[in-house]
Amino acid sequence: MTQAGVPVVPGTMEKITEENTAVEIVEQIGLPVMIKASAGGGGKGMRLVKEEHELIPFFRTASQKH
């Protein structure tokens, strides 16, 4: 989409495995952000982070291996 010039919401397509990386990305793009587990769930594991204090707990939940 970006190559076609379509406006997109800022974010990353890269897998984020470290909490400090998640914090750095949020500092760059700002809140709110969506956190999604990389495997399965059909979107059930998606979390909307509206405030800074939510980031790490939601990141940890999305990072858990089941």
Side-chain angles (χ1 to χ4, degrees):
M1 298 308 252
T2 55
Q3 291 176 350
V6 176
V8 296
V9 176
T12 181
M13 296 295 290
E14 301 165 17
K15 183 176 181 178
I16 301 169
T17 59
E18 301 293 329
E19 292 175 6
N20 62 334
T21 304
V23 170
E24 290 172 7
I25 290 171
V26 168
E27 287 174 350
Q28 291 171 13
I29 65 175
L31 292 172
V33 297
M34 289 294 293
I35 294 180
K36 181 191 175 304
S38 63
K44 293 181 208 171
M46 294 179 73
R47 297 289 183 257
L48 176 60
V49 179
K50 297 179 183 178
E51 299 182 27
E52 284 183 32
H53 68 88
E54 299 171 324
L55 178 60
I56 298 303
F58 288 175
F59 180 86
R60 289 178 180 165
T61 299
S63 299
Q64 290 177 353
K65 297 188 184 355
H66 298 279

